[in-house]
């Protein structure tokens, strides 16, 4: 997941929609380590592009079953000034 975002920030602007769609899927992955990694690294994308994901991050921060996922999402929202 982290490598996906490292590559995504180097891709043309036109691919960002696909990246956001992939992140939405990763936020719903059954494996909490995947959800945690996605939540932890989404801030590496530029803010206007991740705006559609803020509501999903908020849900993860407050309602995910795993504490590590909640923490990662909350820390990302804090980094983005959206807590």
């Amino acid at each position: 997941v982290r490598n996906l975002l490292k590559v995504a920030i180097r891709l043309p602007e036109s691919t960002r929609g696909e990246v956001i769609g992939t992140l939405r899927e990763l936020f719903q992955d059954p494996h909490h380590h995947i959800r945690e990694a996605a939540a932890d690294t989404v801030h590496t994308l530029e803010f206007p592009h991740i705006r559609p994901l803020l509501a999903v991050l908020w849900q993860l921060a407050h309602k995910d079953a795993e504490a590590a996922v909640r923490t990662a999402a909350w820390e990302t929202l804090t980094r983005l000034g959206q807590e």
Side-chain angles (χ1 to χ4, degrees):
V1 172
R2 290 176 175 94
N3 289 334
L4 165 71
L5 292 180
K6 285 179 184 178
V7 170
I9 61 174
R10 291 175 175 81
L11 293 174
E13 190 80 19
S14 60
T15 63
R16 295 291 165 93
E18 292 176 47
V19 172
I20 296 300
T22 300
L23 282 168
R24 280 187 191 279
E25 292 176 22
L26 293 173
F27 286 152
Q28 297 174 6
D29 195 274
H31 301 286
H32 72 276
H33 293 293
I34 300 295
R35 295 191 312 275
E36 178 186 359
D40 184 48
T41 58
V42 70
H43 71 278
T44 61
L45 294 174
E46 295 173 9
F47 184 73
H49 300 290
I50 61 170
R51 186 169 301 232
L53 298 174
L54 293 177
V56 181
L57 277 170
W58 190 91
Q59 289 284 60
L60 288 174
H62 294 284
K63 298 185 177 188
D64 197 272
E66 294 290 330
V69 176
R70 292 191 307 271
T71 299
W74 183 254
E75 288 174 354
T76 294
L77 287 168
T78 300
R79 281 186 206 122
L80 297 170
Q82 299 295 312
E83 69 282 30

